[in-house]
Amino acid sequence: MSSIQYQTSSSREQETIDAVDLIGGPWAVIESDPGVFTMLMQKLGVRGCEATEIYSLDAESLRSIGRIYGFILCSTYQDEEEPEHPQEDVEAQFWSQKGSIWFANQLITDACATQGLLNVLFNCPDIQLGDHLQRFRDFTQELDPQMKGLAMSNDKDLRNAHNSMARPADVREALSSIAIETSKLEKKKSTQRSARSSSRKKKTETTTQDVYHYIGFVPSNGKVWQLDGLVSGPLEVGNLPQGVQLDTPEGQKSWLTLVQPAITLQIEKMQSHGGDIRVNLLAITNSLWEKYSDEFELLRRERRALERRLNAEVKDWSAKSKENDPSLAERANSLFDGPNSHHSSPFDTAFGLRAQEKQMKVLQLPSDALLENWRQVVDRAGELKALLEEEISKAKRWQSEYIKRTHDYEPFLRELLSALKSEGILDARLNE
């Protein structure tokens, strides 16, 4: 059960009050990595999406990825600096779009990754959010950006999912930061104004550290938006052609054409400050595993339909299929019916319609084209099998990195050092 119930019925009112975390808790730093963001979405209940790292913004590279719902641009900056933003009345822009654009301000520094992710996900109606995120989105829809950010910062489920992707050392550092800030606040309360001014001056002289900053880009309600949690409202990038459908190639081309120069400009601004500014760009896309799985299942059904017609209309078609490639029939059986064949239930809600359309095309083929289409189906199935194996390898790699990242090595190291100390080995090693 979710930690926050967003229903307002009296029967759940006390349960809701008990579940809400009024004090809040630490948010740890997490990496801007496609595996981290994909697993975070899965933990939040999002289905059918993954994060893909983008190395080039040229049209051909983006088109090869498939459907792109939005982008998340990450950069580092010093915590004493503020990222540069255009001087616009962004608050007026927000209120003119109230109810149509979901936008939250970033109120906690280390919550920026989840805040940037939600700013993108909540403006994509085609994404399956899951129960908790859908209730959270609906509950906060009419709130202003600061209240959205406050609601997000104090949601236990969001915070726990976020922190589950962090290193234990970073979680401890976040807890330590809360204790330090609380101690500083108590000291400030007990000192005079002059002492507080001196304290602030000293603080500016301390060593600064890198802070991560996330900016989202997403098409919504006929426009392309730049969603920066450190600005009071969303920034309009441009207008989409009227009536364009984002799930079509034309719709993807339209919004990507608008967003490419905006992302390029933002990256140039970030890098113009000099220093060690690290930038990376993630795209929120359809799950390639689900995409390839559904396509493979469509090919399986198309192959059966083709073979039914071949058996009825083409004499000795199996022997003819071996003329150019003797192993083709054997490879087809191995791909579709062998022990290592891929089997998966369909993911796409429109899979039935797509399968029916494939069946109709097979029925409309002339007899002399059946064998060639069968060969094409087998060849494409081989390609998809290789792609599916790549996705399995990628998932295993992400899982391995997740285990290594989130495992707490500190107890082992503490015991190791204690054992070396008790055996008299540590001092000797330190003196070498």
Side-chain angles (χ1 to χ4, degrees):
M1 184 178 64
S2 300
S3 64
I4 298 181
Q5 302 293 329
Y6 296 104
Q7 295 86 345
T8 57
S9 60
S10 58
S11 63
R12 300 196 178 187
E13 183 176 356
Q14 187 59 46
E15 181 181 351
T16 302
I17 293 174
D18 293 339
V20 172
D21 185 359
L22 296 177
I23 299 176
W27 290 72
V29 175
I30 64 175
E31 297 177 27
S32 177
D33 176 83
V36 170
F37 272 70
T38 299
M39 297 185 75
L40 176 58
M41 285 190 285
Q42 292 171 352
K43 287 177 177 288
L44 292 173
V46 178
R47 284 193 55 194
C49 287
E50 67 177 59
T52 303
E53 190 158 11
I54 303 300
Y55 300 100
S56 174
L57 283 170
D58 67 88
E60 186 63 31
S61 298
L62 296 179
R63 186 162 53 247
S64 66
I65 295 173
R67 181 171 183 182
I68 298 177
Y69 293 98
F71 292 97
I72 300 175
L73 178 63
C74 173
S75 70
T76 57
Y77 68 98
Q78 296 294 316
D79 59 1
E80 67 176 0
E81 301 173 355
E82 287 293 330
E84 182 180 344
H85 302 296
Q87 299 299 315
E88 301 181 27
D89 188 7
V90 292
E91 186 172 357
Q93 287 190 32
F94 166 74
W95 288 111
S96 69
Q97 296 290 332
K98 185 180 179 183
S100 60
I101 301 297
W102 197 97
F103 175 77
N105 285 138
Q106 179 183 322
L107 302 184
I108 297 179
T109 299
D110 291 335
C112 53
T114 296
Q115 177 266 333
L117 178 63
L118 294 187
N119 272 347
V120 171
L121 293 178
F122 284 172
N123 288 295
C124 299
D126 294 339
I127 289 180
Q128 301 178 56
L129 295 175
D131 293 339
H132 181 72
L133 287 187
Q134 188 62 57
R135 288 198 303 271
F136 181 85
R137 183 190 185 281
D138 295 342
F139 179 75
T140 58
Q141 179 65 51
E142 298 302 320
L143 301 179
D144 64 61
Q146 288 192 355
M147 290 303 296
K148 283 187 174 76
L150 183 63
M152 191 212 78
S153 301
N154 289 283
D155 186 291
K156 281 184 178 180
D157 284 347
L158 295 180
R159 186 170 65 244
N160 290 341
H162 174 101
N163 287 342
S164 71
M165 305 307 301
R167 297 183 305 163
D170 289 329
V171 176
R172 285 191 288 269
E173 183 179 348
L175 284 166
S176 176
S177 296
I178 289 180
I180 293 172
E181 291 302 319
T182 302
S183 176
K184 286 181 179 180
L185 182 61
E186 291 300 322
K187 289 180 180 178
K188 286 183 179 181
K189 287 181 178 179
S190 63
T191 55
Q192 298 179 351
R193 183 180 299 273
S194 59
R196 290 200 300 269
S197 299
S198 175
S199 175
R200 286 195 297 270
K201 182 177 180 181
K202 289 179 181 179
K203 182 179 179 181
T204 61
E205 296 171 354
T206 60
T207 303
T208 59
Q209 62 180 5
D210 284 341
V211 179
Y212 292 98
H213 179 219
Y214 292 81
I215 301 175
F217 297 86
V218 66
S220 182
N221 295 284
K223 300 178 185 294
V224 175
W225 300 92
Q226 177 176 314
L227 307 176
D228 186 341
L230 298 181
V231 174
S232 58
L235 301 174
E236 182 181 325
V237 173
N239 293 307
L240 292 167
Q242 188 171 4
V244 68
Q245 298 295 320
L246 293 172
D247 59 350
T248 64
E250 294 76 14
Q252 285 288 293
K253 181 179 179 180
S254 297
W255 102 265
L256 292 176
T257 300
L258 282 173
V259 80
Q260 285 166 334
I263 294 175
T264 301
L265 178 62
Q266 195 64 39
I267 292 174
E268 290 174 351
K269 285 183 178 180
M270 292 172 174
Q271 295 177 336
S272 66
H273 296 292
D276 183 21
I277 303 298
R278 299 181 295 278
V279 177
N280 84 315
L281 181 65
L282 299 178
I284 304 302
T285 68
N286 280 333
S287 167
L288 292 179
W289 167 260
E290 296 186 7
K291 174 186 174 182
Y292 297 150
S293 293
D294 282 356
E295 188 175 348
F296 193 91
E297 185 60 31
L298 285 173
L299 289 176
R300 185 194 307 280
R301 302 186 184 195
E302 185 178 1
R303 176 220 180 192
R304 291 172 183 166
L306 285 166
E307 289 185 355
R308 282 196 296 268
R309 284 199 61 191
L310 283 166
N311 289 330
E313 302 175 27
V314 180
K315 186 178 180 180
D316 297 330
W317 72 269
S318 181
K320 293 178 180 178
S321 68
K322 301 177 182 179
E323 291 177 356
N324 296 326
D325 187 350
S327 65
L328 189 60
E330 182 179 348
R331 191 162 72 250
N333 291 329
S334 174
L335 285 169
F336 291 108
D337 303 319
N340 296 322
S341 175
H342 174 76
H343 293 272
S344 176
S345 300
F347 294 97
D348 188 0
T349 55
F351 181 86
L353 179 60
R354 294 169 61 191
Q356 188 176 26
E357 290 174 348
K358 285 280 188 182
Q359 297 283 340
M360 292 298 297
K361 289 181 179 179
V362 170
L363 293 175
Q364 293 169 0
L365 287 173
S367 297
D368 58 0
L370 293 174
L371 186 55
E372 180 58 31
N373 275 265
W374 182 86
R375 290 193 180 102
Q376 293 174 4
V377 165
V378 175
D379 289 340
R380 178 56 182 164
E383 295 172 1
L384 284 173
K385 184 72 184 303
L387 292 172
L388 286 165
E389 289 174 353
E390 286 181 12
E391 290 302 305
I392 293 173
S393 298
K394 182 174 69 177
K396 289 180 178 179
R397 184 176 70 254
W398 284 350
Q399 180 65 20
S400 175
E401 291 172 354
Y402 168 75
I403 293 172
K404 294 175 183 178
R405 183 189 312 111
T406 58
H407 182 74
D408 191 356
Y409 294 94
E410 186 173 304
F412 165 75
L413 294 174
R414 189 186 304 117
E415 290 298 321
L416 175 62
L417 292 174
S418 297
L420 292 174
K421 175 70 175 177
S422 63
E423 294 293 330
I425 300 175
L426 183 60
D427 291 338
R429 288 285 184 263
L430 292 176
N431 292 328
E432 287 182 355

